[in-house]
């Protein structure tokens, strides 16, 4: 079938009846539940946008000739990379980059895993074939995916096999002729239950080697697979209107604990099974992390544009853009934006073919960007909070403005330099929802840990960086200064 529409996305969720729990209850119809219905509508809009902007969002499948999503594209040139990124940007702009797990994130991953599949063959040749086939299946059916890749935080000072209850984490129970049985808990599935399928990634690094083999898994199954449950955290969509909660009422993706109760996975859906060596190398050797980082950088540029727009609008609304410290804070956001754009340009224009013939962005640029943004995004939010100051607390609701007695009072009393009270408060409620609401706080936490603990990521970045050339440069400089021939 070709790329799906928003209506088809919603109908699939209704028919699947995924096993989702929230607020102590099982969800009967996720498309109508208050915690999920609004973000589902936002997701549906992404799929409708594929047909509204067909030239930019769709391309012809190389196998079926049908129109499929551009975000599944295997790029064969720099121009293809840019085309795919432009489609990703179109999706990101609908939410101001607030939907961190829009479908393109995992679409890029399954493409990379499917095309660079030889790693999986080290354990079993059919696993490589499975990865390739799953990419084609996901592309041709426009499968929406959630994913999970980390173990529960039981005792972080011990390996999984050393835990008091070593069977809490998702693990291999049994290999059968027709597939495998897995059991245990995984964290943390964003958009868990409001997608078609779940992709279980290899947990990033398994230091214990063969002792971690039972936990070394990668597979994909439908979200309504028997024994699979999504236990969602409290929703940050509080059922408020879009005026009061302009972001949380539309883009609250949700995060879920995933429980596997002796779940059966057929062999043709398995990519890694009980092999910690393959598990540890999957992200890098398939270039999945490269193509995922390309999507993330594209999304974060849009997010930074959105933050800058809010900050500039707040400055203008209350006439503070003339002050030195205010301009300097605006400059911080602008420099962040231009730095991110530079990383993107370098990543795309220094791209090279990998062994599968896929045009792959320069990972050095992407790696720098993905290590830097978690450190800088909290500061961007802080700038908006500083600029808004007490105005972010003086934000009556739309109902207050509609009240006959107090409406006229606050409409006059909360006016800005160029805005009436109603318009100024609407803007400031957006700034509040971006930074101070439960939704805004989750955005900061989400970006900070997007690829993992930024301190550990920074240590890895430091260890892998080519440091010798710079030390040699200084060593040679000092030798010349002392009159020693180099």
């Amino acid at each position: 079938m070709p790329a799906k529409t928003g209506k088809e996305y919603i109908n699939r969720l209704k028919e699947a009846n995924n096993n989702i729990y929230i607020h102590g209850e099982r969800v009967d119809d996720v498309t109508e539940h208050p915690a999920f219905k609004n973000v589902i509508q936002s997701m549906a809009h992404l799929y409708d946008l594929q047909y509204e902007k067909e030239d930019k969002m769709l391309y012809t499948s190389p196998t079926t000739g049908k129109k499929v999503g551009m975000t599944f594209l295997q790029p064969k040139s720099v121009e293809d990379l840019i085309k795919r990124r432009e489609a990703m940007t179109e999706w990101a702009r609908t939410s101001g980059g607030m939907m961190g797990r829009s479908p393109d994130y995992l679409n890029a991953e399954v493409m990379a895993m499917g095309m660079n599949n030889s790693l999986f063959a080290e354990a079993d040749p059919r696993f490589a074939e499975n990865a390739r086939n799953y990419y084609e299946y996901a592309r041709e059916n426009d499968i929406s995916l959630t994913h999970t890749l980390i173990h529960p935080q039981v005792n972080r000072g011990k390996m999984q096999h050393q835990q008091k209850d070593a069977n809490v984490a998702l693990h291999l129970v049994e290999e059968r002729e027709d597939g495998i049985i897995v059991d245990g808990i995984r964290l943390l599935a964003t958009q868990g239950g409001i997608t078609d399928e779940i992709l279980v990634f290899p947990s990033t690094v398994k230091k214990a080697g063969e002792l971690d083999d039972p936990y070394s898994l990668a597979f994909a199954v439908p979200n309504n697979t028997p024994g699979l449950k999504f236990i969602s955290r409290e929703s940050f969509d509080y059922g408020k209107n879009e005026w009061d909660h302009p972001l949380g009422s539309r883009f609250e993706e949700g995060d879920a604990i995933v429980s596997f109760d002796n779940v059966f996975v057929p062999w043709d859906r398995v990519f890694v099974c009980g092999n910690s060596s393959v598990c540890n190398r999957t992200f890098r050797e398939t270039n999945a992390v490269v193509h995922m980082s390309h999507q993330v950088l594209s999304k974060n540029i849009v997010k930074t544009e959105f933050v800058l727009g809010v900050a500039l609008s707040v400055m203008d609304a209350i006439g503070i853009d003339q002050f030195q410290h205010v301009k300097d804070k605006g400059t911080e956001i602008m420099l962040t934006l231009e730095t991110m754009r530079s990383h993107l340009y370098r990543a795309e224009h220094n791209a090279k073919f990998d062994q599968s013939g896929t045009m792959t962005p320069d990972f050095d640029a992407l790696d720098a960007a993905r290590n830097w943004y978690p450190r800088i995004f909290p500061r961007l939010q802080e700038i908006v909070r500083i600029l808004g100051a007490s105005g972010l607390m003086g934000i009556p609701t739309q109902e207050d403005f509609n009240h006959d007695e107090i409406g006229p009072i606050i409409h006059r009393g909360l006016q800005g330099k160029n805005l009436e009270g109603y318009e100024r408060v609407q803007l400031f409620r957006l700034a509040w929802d971006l930074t101070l609401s439960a939704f805004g706080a989750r955005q900061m936490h989400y970006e900070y840990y997007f690829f993992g603990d930024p301190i550990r990521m920074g240590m890895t970045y430091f260890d892998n960086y080519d440091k010798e050339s710079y030390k040699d440069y200084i060593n040679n400089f000092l030798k010349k200064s002392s009159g020693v021939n180099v």
Side-chain angles (χ1 to χ4, degrees):
M1 62 180 295
K4 66 189 175 192
T5 64
K7 182 178 180 180
E8 288 168 334
Y9 160 72
I10 291 172
N11 287 341
R12 283 193 199 178
L13 292 180
K14 285 181 177 291
E15 293 169 6
N17 192 25
N18 299 328
N19 213 10
I20 308 168
Y21 293 80
I22 192 169
H23 304 159
E25 298 178 341
R26 188 189 183 281
V27 176
D28 290 329
D29 182 353
V30 70
T31 68
E32 299 296 335
H33 192 281
F36 303 103
K37 65 179 183 179
N38 291 330
V39 70
I40 286 174
Q41 288 299 321
S42 295
M43 283 280 286
H45 174 60
L46 299 183
Y47 288 112
D48 284 337
L49 194 62
Q50 292 188 130
Y51 286 95
E52 292 172 15
K53 298 187 176 184
E54 186 172 330
D55 290 346
K56 179 173 285 189
M57 302 299 297
L58 300 177
Y59 75 105
T60 302
S61 165
T63 56
T64 65
K66 296 178 180 178
K67 291 294 184 180
V68 294
M70 183 67 75
T71 60
F72 282 107
L73 179 70
Q74 179 200 10
K76 298 288 187 68
S77 64
V78 170
E79 290 72 25
D80 282 350
L81 271 178
I82 293 172
K83 282 198 301 184
R84 187 183 67 173
R85 184 252 301 160
E86 288 177 344
M88 292 170 171
T89 298
E90 285 289 341
W91 270 357
R93 290 188 69 82
T94 67
S95 67
M98 299 299 149
M99 292 180 69
R101 287 294 185 265
S102 52
D104 45 329
Y105 178 70
L106 291 173
N107 292 355
E109 195 281 338
V110 296
M111 182 283 298
M113 186 177 71
M115 299 311 302
N116 289 286
N117 55 56
S118 59
L119 172 67
F120 303 121
E122 287 186 15
D124 190 323
R126 61 182 165 172
F127 293 163
E129 183 180 353
N130 291 348
R132 175 62 181 261
N133 290 342
Y134 190 76
Y135 163 50
E136 294 201 8
Y137 164 77
R139 181 190 68 207
E140 298 304 319
N141 293 277
D142 211 353
I143 297 296
S144 58
L145 286 158
T146 185
H147 79 299
T148 176
L149 58 91
I150 60 174
H151 299 308
Q153 297 173 320
V154 179
N155 184 344
R156 301 298 291 274
K158 293 183 179 294
M159 301 297 178
Q160 289 306 312
H161 70 278
Q162 298 172 327
Q163 299 291 332
K164 180 172 59 176
D165 184 351
N167 289 329
V168 169
L170 179 67
H171 60 281
L172 178 66
V173 174
E174 179 186 1
E175 292 188 33
R176 303 189 335 198
E177 185 177 342
D178 54 349
I180 62 175
I181 302 294
V182 297
D183 188 84
I185 301 293
R186 272 290 187 98
L187 308 176
L188 190 62
T190 300
Q191 293 198 12
I194 65 168
T195 52
D196 296 318
E197 301 202 1
I198 182 168
L199 180 61
V200 174
F201 276 9
S203 194
T204 47
V205 176
K206 298 186 173 297
K207 297 179 180 178
E210 292 182 2
L211 292 173
D212 269 339
D213 279 354
Y215 310 97
S216 301
L217 299 164
F219 59 85
V221 291
N223 282 339
N224 61 356
T225 297
L228 184 59
K229 294 183 178 68
F230 295 91
I231 305 166
S232 299
R233 63 158 168 78
E234 175 187 0
S235 174
F236 300 150
D237 180 352
Y238 298 119
K240 304 294 185 179
N241 62 51
E242 292 183 13
W243 197 93
D244 288 345
H245 288 241
L247 300 175
S249 67
R250 300 167 62 195
F251 309 121
E252 157 58 339
E253 296 176 287
D255 305 290
I257 299 163
V258 187
S259 172
F260 296 81
D261 184 5
N262 288 304
V263 169
F264 170 71
V265 184
W267 280 120
D268 64 359
R269 289 303 197 95
V270 177
F271 316 122
V272 179
C273 181
N275 190 312
S276 57
S277 174
V278 173
C279 219
N280 289 341
R281 293 179 287 139
T282 292
F283 281 111
R284 193 63 188 93
E285 291 193 19
T286 64
N287 284 327
V289 69
V290 183
H291 290 277
M292 294 159 74
S293 297
H294 185 230
Q295 185 274 342
V296 171
L297 177 53
S298 303
K299 181 266 297 180
N300 285 345
I301 287 173
V302 173
K303 196 166 198 169
T304 308
E305 290 173 342
F306 191 84
V307 173
L308 178 59
V310 170
L312 293 174
S313 298
V314 168
M315 292 178 196
D316 187 61
I318 54 177
I320 60 173
D321 51 352
Q322 61 187 301
F323 300 116
Q324 187 179 39
H325 79 91
V326 171
K327 290 183 178 182
D328 185 64
K329 289 176 175 61
T331 297
E332 282 190 59
I333 306 176
M334 294 170 182
L335 292 175
T336 300
L337 177 58
E338 295 307 321
T339 301
M340 298 291 280
R341 286 173 173 166
S342 296
H343 283 311
L344 181 64
Y345 185 89
R346 176 187 169 192
E348 292 177 346
H349 289 81
N350 284 357
K352 293 181 173 60
F353 287 110
D354 65 16
Q355 63 181 3
S356 73
T358 303
M359 183 60 73
T360 301
D362 176 8
F363 187 56
D364 286 345
L366 297 175
D367 201 20
R370 77 186 187 114
N371 271 274
W372 187 58
Y373 202 71
R375 299 164 184 256
I376 198 66
F377 184 72
R379 173 58 178 164
L380 304 187
Q381 284 192 313
E382 181 185 38
I383 288 171
V384 174
R385 293 199 307 271
I386 291 171
L387 296 176
S390 62
L392 297 180
M393 295 293 100
I395 46 173
T397 65
Q398 190 176 42
E399 287 185 351
D400 292 323
F401 279 98
N402 292 334
H403 191 275
D404 290 340
E405 183 176 350
I406 65 172
I409 296 173
I410 57 177
H411 185 62
R412 180 188 179 196
L414 296 178
Q415 64 183 290
K417 183 183 76 170
N418 299 315
L419 296 175
E420 298 295 339
Y422 183 85
E423 289 77 20
R424 190 190 76 81
V425 172
Q426 184 180 25
L427 169 63
F428 273 65
R429 289 199 72 91
L430 173 60
W432 165 82
D433 211 11
L434 174 63
T435 60
L436 286 170
S437 68
F439 178 89
R442 187 260 182 189
Q443 287 292 318
M444 183 178 72
H445 200 64
Y446 184 80
E447 292 297 349
Y448 189 76
Y449 286 107
F450 195 100
F451 280 105
D453 177 3
I455 304 303
R456 292 182 65 185
M457 286 180 60
M459 290 171 60
T460 300
Y461 188 86
F462 181 88
D463 290 343
N464 292 337
Y465 199 83
D466 178 17
K467 298 181 283 292
E468 294 306 314
S469 61
Y470 302 100
K471 291 190 289 185
D472 289 344
Y473 173 39
I474 299 304
N475 186 45
N476 292 334
F477 180 86
L478 292 174
K479 286 180 179 179
K480 288 181 178 179
S481 298
S482 62
V484 176
N485 292 326
V486 179

